[in-house]
């Protein structure tokens, strides 16, 4: 697992950002499918014979999904969306609780049969949470492990018990705590065996902490009763823990590289491990030693699953292969090969579900209840006990032939974005997915405006090049498989366009539109509507909220604005900034409490208050207040073209907005040079104000095409097109750090 900054979160980012950012994740197709690699699987078997089975999948797109399984069909019946980064693992506990962990450093609990309700978020981890383990016959215990060597053992019943208001606040504030103590329903395994007692917890639950791992943990496993836990990671050793006390029982060495997968038998006596050294090892915990090693794979082993009797192991990994191995006879057979590295396995009766770095999930025959049937097909080999023996056999051409060529069933995902380019107009982003399709996105509306199909990304980028200069007001990434657009203050407010450039007919053509402000208004339009409805249904006479709510002064101010229905800014969302309601984007952001969160813009119900958003976002959307920005002006000199007999219209340096079009400069020259007075077509404020130093220009003139005689504006001896902006001229024509020099001349014969 590669360490990458969390999408939409500043809490664990290497950037030092004072203000919280807001991110929106774009969707362009059916949201019932994953769009990035599937990291984890969990099968919930029916409690009654006539009930359906369910498969839960967790993905690098940051979501989990519940699939209702029938004979030859799988229907996505719920999407669990709250994590703001990759979902790395998920386990089922107690029959109706799903527990997941993520690179966003959280562990979350969900109601399995809800429409995606997250019942609790725990923030005890300080780094990526990579793995979970649960006990088959003890629905009250879960373990989580992460990159800082942290392993937590959770008492599920205590963890999900209702807490007091002060308790919840303490739990939410853990991420900012320096000593790491606070409310938690868990026992902590840290870096020593000494147990420390926390006594000031309002729930009455006392966590147990101990020391152990010094480096990252990538794998956990627990026996059926939950009293034995094994863990492994980058230290190449397996640690065995007593979950009842949090104490380390033993350390097992033998692997020569990272341990990536672990299994325990039902009794907790035998342990299977898979490693990046390509080996599978069988350990006898009673004897505290490795009793067998199996050289089956030619690359890292990332996933293990066993038959119910622990007699055979299914293994997969980076070499794309799924093997079945008899632990007693060492006989091994290649069941199938995937097109992508195998991430996790889940047994389901006589089949096995396989998750890979692709967004699709496949079900393969496995004969889990009678694995000897597979060996009767022939093609097996004897697993060696040295890793190089398998690699050498593969090089010599004795690669086994897979028993099964095609899966019996597939749950298809959609291709994830692997390449992107922000175009010069700073509103369009060109993307390419892992199926080779190239698309053009309009990020101020969150929609695909052109699907070019499988064409050359580089050639299409060249075709779409525009000689235009607009400040960079957002950043993007594709870490979650979809396009994530990040807005950071104050730089996101640096880009403005005229209404005529955006085809907004409801406003004067020369009004300036701030792209970030209108985008934020579009993103929060649904929330504002819901919040206005909720607040408007129970206001007091003066528009304030009912008593009894702990709310800040800022919140009261905002509520008055919304209840009265008279916000200080124009709250209308213009067409270029209306986001799709059929494939709505999801917001990822963080307020002043509770940590980062994620939700679709159409699912925000108005209960989110001002503490759930960055303050600057609400200041912009509700009060039309923008932070101080860098100088938006462009300074230039206006002089007659060399050899021209035209008189000089002004002396000294002029300044105008960077987005000012050259046709406005033409108007100015005409007014000053030809008529020496304002034209009838000029508004009163549509002039430069030259002087000994800087001047300024304010828009308000009508289109340049109507003006006679014809004037040409040049820069570096190149005639400028009337629709060029001053910023474009400076970036592509002038190309110097000094102030721009523009020349003008009358075009004869026009």
């Amino acid at each position: 697992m590669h360490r990458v900054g969390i999408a939409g979160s500043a809490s664990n980012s290497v950037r030092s950002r004072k203000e919280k950012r807001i991110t929106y994740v774009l969707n362009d197709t059916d949201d019932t499918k994953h769009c990035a690699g599937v990291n984890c699987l969990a099968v919930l078997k029916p409690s009654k014979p006539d009930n359906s089975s369910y498969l839960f999948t967790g993905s690098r797109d940051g979501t989990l999904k519940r699939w209702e399984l029938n004979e030859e069909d799988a229907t996505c019946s719920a999407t669990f969306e709250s994590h703001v980064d990759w979902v790395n693992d998920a386990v089922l506990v107690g029959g109706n609780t799903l527990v997941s962990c993520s690179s966003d450093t959280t562990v979350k609990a969900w109601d399995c049969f809800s429409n995606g309700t997250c019942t609790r978020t725990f923030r005890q981890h300080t780094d990526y949470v990579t793995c979970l383990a649960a006990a088959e016959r003890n629905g009250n215990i879960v373990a989580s492990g992460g990159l800082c060597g942290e392993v937590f053992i959770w008492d599920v019943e205590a963890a999900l018990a209702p807490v007091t208001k002060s308790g919840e606040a303490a739990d939410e504030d853990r991420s900012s705590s320096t000593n790491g103590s606070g409310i938690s329903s868990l026992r902590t395994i840290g870096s020593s065996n000494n147990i420390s007692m926390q006594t000031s917890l309002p729930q009455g639950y006392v966590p147990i902490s101990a020391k152990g791992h010094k480096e990252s943990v990538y794998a956990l496993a627990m026996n059926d009763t939950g009293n034995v836990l094994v863990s492994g990671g980058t230290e190449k050793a397996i640690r065995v823990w007593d979950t009842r006390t949090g104490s380390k029982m033993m350390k097992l060495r033998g692997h020569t590289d990272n341990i990536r997968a672990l299994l325990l038998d039902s009794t907790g006596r035998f342990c299977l491990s898979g490693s990046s050294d390509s080996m599978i090892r069988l350990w006898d915990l009673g004897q505290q030693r490795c009793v067998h090693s199996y050289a089956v794979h030619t690359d890292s082993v990332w996933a293990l699953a066993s038959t119910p009797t622990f007699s055979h192991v299914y293994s997969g990994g980076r070499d794309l292969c799924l093997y079945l191995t008899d632990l007693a006879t060492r006989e091994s057979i290649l069941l199938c090969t995937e097109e992508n590295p195998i991430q996790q396995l889940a047994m389901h009766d006589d089949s096995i579900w396989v998750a890979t770095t692709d967004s699709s999930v496949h079900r393969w025959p496995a004969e889990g209840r009678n694995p000897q049937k597979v060996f009767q097909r022939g093609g097996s080999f004897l697993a060696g006990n040295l890793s190089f023996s398998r690699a050498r056999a593969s090089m010599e051409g004795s690669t086994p032939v897979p028993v099964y060529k095609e899966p019996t069933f597939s749950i298809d995902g959609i291709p994830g974005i692997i390449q992107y380019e922000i175009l010069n107009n700073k509103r369009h982003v060109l993307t390419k997915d892992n199926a080779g399709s190239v698309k053009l996105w309009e990020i101020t509306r969150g929609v695909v405006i052109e699907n070019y199909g499988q064409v050359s990304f580089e050639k299409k980028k060249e075709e779409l090049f525009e000689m235009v200069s607009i400040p960079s007001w957002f950043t993007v990434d594709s870490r979650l498989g979809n396009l994530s657009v990040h807005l950071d203050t104050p730089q996101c407010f640096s880009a403005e366009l005229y209404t005529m450039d955006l085809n907004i007919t409801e406003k004067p053509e020369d009004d300036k539109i701030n792209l970030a402000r209108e985008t934020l208004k579009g993103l929060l339009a649904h929330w504002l509507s819901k919040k206005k409805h909720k607040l408007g249904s129970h206001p007091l006479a003066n528009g304030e909220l009912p008593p009894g709510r702990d709310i800040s002064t800022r919140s009261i101010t905002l509520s008055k604005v919304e209840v009265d229905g008279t916000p200080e800014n124009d709250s209308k969302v213009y067409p270029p900034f209306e986001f799709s309601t059929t494939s709505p984007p999801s917001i990822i952001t963080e307020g002043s409490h509770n940590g980062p969160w994620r939700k679709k813009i159409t699912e925000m119900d108005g209960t989110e208050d001002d503490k759930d958003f960055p303050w600057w976002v609400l200041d912009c959307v509700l009060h039309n207040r923008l932070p101080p920005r860098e100088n938006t002006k462009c300074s230039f000199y206006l002089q007659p073209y060399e050899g021209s007999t035209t008189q000089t219209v002004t002396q000294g340096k002029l300044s105008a907005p960077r987005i000012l079009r050259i046709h406005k400069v033409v108007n100015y020259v005409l007014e000053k040079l030809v008529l020496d007075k304002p034209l009838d077509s000029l508004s009163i404020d549509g002039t430069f104000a030259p002087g000994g130093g800087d001047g300024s220009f304010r828009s308000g003139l009508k289109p340049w095409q109507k003006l006679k005689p014809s004037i040409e504006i040049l820069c570096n001896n190149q005639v400028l097109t009337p629709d060029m902006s001053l910023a474009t001229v400076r970036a592509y024509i002038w190309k110097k750090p000094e102030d721009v020099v523009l020349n003008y001349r009358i075009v004869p014969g026009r």
Side-chain angles (χ1 to χ4, degrees):
M1 183 176 299
H2 299 290
R3 190 173 167 73
V4 185
I6 293 177
S9 167
S11 59
N12 292 284
S13 174
V14 294
R15 297 183 301 269
S16 57
R17 185 184 300 108
K18 187 175 182 181
E19 302 296 348
K20 304 292 195 303
R21 73 167 23 169
I22 187 167
T23 294
Y24 56 103
V25 184
L26 304 183
N27 298 300
D28 124 71
T29 52
D30 190 356
D31 191 42
T32 62
K33 297 180 179 180
H34 287 301
C35 64
V38 177
N39 282 343
C40 54
L41 304 165
V43 175
L44 181 62
K45 296 181 180 179
S47 55
K48 298 179 181 179
D50 57 343
N51 289 356
S52 298
S53 295
Y54 291 94
L55 175 69
F56 294 85
T57 55
S59 170
R60 295 179 178 183
D61 63 17
T63 69
L64 299 106
K65 296 186 185 295
R66 182 183 69 225
W67 306 89
E68 185 174 351
L69 304 176
N70 299 308
E71 285 297 321
E72 293 299 327
D73 185 45
T75 305
C76 180
S77 53
T79 295
F80 300 83
E81 184 173 15
S82 181
H83 285 297
V84 302
D85 206 344
W86 291 7
V87 176
N88 294 323
D89 206 357
V91 293
L92 291 161
V93 293
N96 60 357
T97 300
L98 177 70
V99 178
S100 62
C101 68
S102 167
S103 296
D104 64 11
T105 77
T106 68
V107 174
K108 291 180 181 284
W110 315 77
D111 180 346
C112 279
F113 299 105
S114 70
N115 290 326
T117 304
C118 178
T119 55
R120 194 64 58 84
T121 298
F122 299 96
R123 306 183 187 277
Q124 274 73 19
H125 283 271
T126 59
D127 210 325
Y128 292 8
V129 192
T130 56
C131 51
L132 297 170
E136 184 75 24
R137 294 203 300 268
N138 183 349
N140 200 40
I141 187 167
V142 173
S144 61
L147 289 194
C148 274
E150 298 167 320
V151 176
F152 295 122
I153 305 171
W154 304 74
D155 182 325
V156 176
E157 183 179 349
L160 299 181
V163 296
T164 63
K165 184 174 181 181
S166 60
E168 280 185 322
D171 187 44
E172 289 159 358
D173 291 342
R174 277 190 56 82
S175 58
S176 61
S177 171
T178 56
N179 59 13
S181 64
I183 291 182
S184 122
S185 328
L186 51 90
R187 306 183 184 102
T188 309
I189 299 174
S191 38
S192 145
N193 288 329
N194 298 326
I195 299 172
S196 59
M197 310 296 284
Q198 306 292 336
T199 58
S200 59
L201 300 179
Q203 279 183 272
Y205 182 86
V206 180
I208 302 171
S209 62
K211 290 195 171 181
H213 281 281
K214 298 179 179 66
E215 297 179 18
S216 298
V217 176
Y218 281 115
L220 295 172
M222 207 178 288
N223 66 333
D224 280 5
T225 57
N227 63 316
V228 178
L229 173 71
V230 291
S231 58
T234 56
E235 294 173 75
K236 310 170 190 175
I238 300 171
R239 284 182 167 81
V240 185
W241 309 91
D242 182 344
T243 62
R244 294 164 295 190
T245 62
S247 59
K248 186 173 68 176
M249 298 164 62
M250 66 188 80
K251 182 193 286 188
L252 304 171
R253 295 189 177 276
H255 282 294
T256 59
D257 207 336
N258 299 342
I259 295 169
R260 298 299 302 268
L262 290 168
L263 280 181
L264 272 178
D265 75 336
S266 59
T267 66
R269 169 75 184 271
F270 293 100
C271 173
L272 278 166
S273 59
S275 168
S276 296
D277 62 13
S278 79
M279 295 295 292
I280 300 170
R281 290 182 179 270
L282 177 65
W283 308 81
D284 186 328
L285 302 189
Q287 300 180 30
Q288 299 191 25
R289 69 184 185 92
C290 175
V291 292
H292 286 293
S293 55
Y294 307 89
V296 174
H297 291 268
T298 58
D299 209 332
S300 301
V301 181
W302 288 352
L304 297 173
S306 73
T307 56
T309 60
F310 214 72
S311 60
H312 296 71
V313 63
Y314 300 86
S315 58
R318 194 174 177 180
D319 61 4
L320 321 183
C321 298
L322 176 61
Y323 287 98
L324 171 62
T325 303
D326 187 321
L327 296 177
T329 66
R330 309 180 63 84
E331 189 178 9
S332 189
I333 192 167
L334 176 61
L335 281 182
C336 63
T337 56
E338 288 277 1
E339 294 181 358
N340 299 277
I342 295 172
Q343 299 269 70
Q344 204 170 82
L345 306 170
M347 299 299 299
H348 188 192
D349 298 331
D350 274 337
S351 299
I352 188 168
W353 289 98
V354 180
T356 71
T357 55
D358 184 56
S359 58
S360 300
V361 178
H362 301 131
R363 185 180 68 196
W364 295 86
E367 300 293 349
R369 286 175 285 210
N370 188 6
Q372 287 304 126
K373 283 185 179 180
V374 181
F375 290 103
Q376 291 170 5
R377 292 171 171 262
S380 63
F381 61 93
L382 198 63
N385 56 11
L386 297 173
S387 60
F388 67 81
S389 63
R390 202 49 209 102
R392 183 176 60 195
S394 177
M395 292 172 61
E396 291 172 354
S398 58
T399 304
V401 178
V403 175
Y404 304 108
K405 305 295 184 184
E406 298 290 336
T408 56
F409 183 71
S410 296
I411 299 176
D412 293 330
I414 56 177
I417 294 172
I418 58 173
Q419 191 174 2
Y420 54 84
E421 183 76 22
I422 300 173
L423 301 188
N424 283 1
N425 63 17
K426 299 301 190 291
R427 286 165 48 226
H428 294 160
V429 177
L430 191 68
T431 65
K432 179 181 179 180
D433 61 34
N434 54 19
S437 292
V438 176
K439 298 177 181 179
L440 185 64
W441 294 77
E442 166 65 81
I443 64 103
T444 59
R445 290 191 294 138
V447 295
V448 172
I449 57 176
E450 198 73 52
N451 187 346
Y452 300 108
Q454 296 182 344
V455 300
S456 167
F457 182 84
E458 294 301 324
K459 288 183 178 178
K460 183 56 64 175
K461 185 172 70 173
E462 291 176 8
E463 288 176 20
L464 295 173
F465 174 79
E466 296 178 76
M467 195 165 69
V468 59
S469 177
I470 295 174
S472 296
W473 60 281
F474 65 91
T475 57
V476 296
D477 69 52
S478 59
R479 175 169 167 76
L480 301 179
N482 275 328
L483 207 59
S484 295
V485 184
H486 309 293
L487 302 181
D488 293 295
T489 189
Q491 54 267 43
C492 69
F493 296 109
S494 61
E496 294 178 325
L497 289 178
Y498 290 122
T499 52
M500 61 184 296
D501 298 323
L502 296 166
N503 296 317
I504 296 175
T505 58
E506 298 94 325
K507 278 179 166 261
E509 63 182 19
D510 289 327
D511 273 12
K512 287 185 284 188
I513 295 289
N514 188 285
L515 298 182
R517 181 183 62 201
E518 301 305 318
T519 299
L520 289 170
K521 282 165 56 178
L523 287 169
L524 297 182
H526 181 84
W527 172 73
L528 284 170
S529 173
K530 290 287 186 181
K531 188 171 176 66
K532 178 179 177 181
H533 180 266
K534 282 183 179 293
L535 295 174
S537 59
H538 303 289
L540 300 180
N542 61 358
E544 293 182 356
L545 294 179
R549 287 190 58 181
D550 180 19
I551 196 160
S552 66
T553 304
R554 178 190 298 274
S555 184
I556 293 173
T557 305
L558 303 188
S559 300
K560 284 182 179 179
V561 168
E562 291 187 303
V563 172
D564 294 341
T566 54
E568 294 177 29
N569 65 305
D570 181 5
S571 60
K572 178 174 181 175
V573 177
Y574 295 101
F577 304 94
E578 286 181 337
F579 284 85
S580 168
T581 55
T582 54
S583 297
S586 299
I587 282 182
I588 296 176
T589 192
E590 181 178 4
S592 59
H593 68 169
N594 286 348
W597 55 273
R598 170 175 174 168
K599 192 179 284 189
K600 287 201 178 304
I601 62 171
T602 52
E603 292 178 3
M604 291 193 288
D605 56 10
T607 59
E608 303 85 0
D609 63 28
D610 64 325
K611 292 182 180 179
D612 292 317
F613 294 93
W615 69 269
W616 61 269
V617 171
L618 296 184
D619 226 24
C620 166
V621 172
L622 294 173
H623 293 305
N624 203 28
R625 287 198 287 257
L626 303 184
R629 288 165 287 160
E630 294 180 3
N631 185 18
T632 59
K633 301 282 187 178
C634 178
S635 299
F636 64 98
Y637 293 95
L638 190 59
Q639 300 172 353
Y641 185 66
E642 183 180 354
S644 170
T645 58
T646 310
Q647 68 186 70
T648 301
V649 299
T650 186
Q651 298 292 332
K653 185 164 59 176
L654 302 170
S655 70
R658 291 181 303 192
I659 61 174
L660 187 83
R661 305 295 185 186
I662 291 300
H663 71 76
K664 300 291 185 181
V665 181
V666 171
N667 291 345
Y668 177 75
V669 172
L670 277 168
E671 176 190 334
K672 292 295 183 181
L673 174 65
V674 180
L675 300 177
D676 198 24
K677 64 179 179 179
L679 297 172
D680 292 339
S681 62
L682 302 184
S683 65
I684 294 175
D685 64 348
T687 60
F688 287 90
D694 287 357
S696 65
F697 182 85
R698 296 175 295 279
S699 337
L701 303 181
K702 291 195 174 180
W704 58 275
Q705 293 94 336
K706 298 179 181 180
L707 301 174
K708 300 293 181 179
S710 292
I711 299 290
E712 281 183 344
I713 305 296
L714 301 90
C715 180
N716 278 347
N717 292 318
Q718 181 174 333
V719 177
L720 306 178
T721 58
D723 59 351
M724 273 189 181
S725 69
L726 290 177
T728 301
V729 172
R730 183 178 188 89
Y732 292 99
I733 310 298
W734 182 244
K735 300 179 183 179
K736 300 174 187 176
E738 298 85 10
D739 291 330
V740 177
V741 176
L742 298 181
N743 303 111
Y744 58 90
R745 67 185 180 191
I746 297 178
V747 182
R750 289 196 186 179

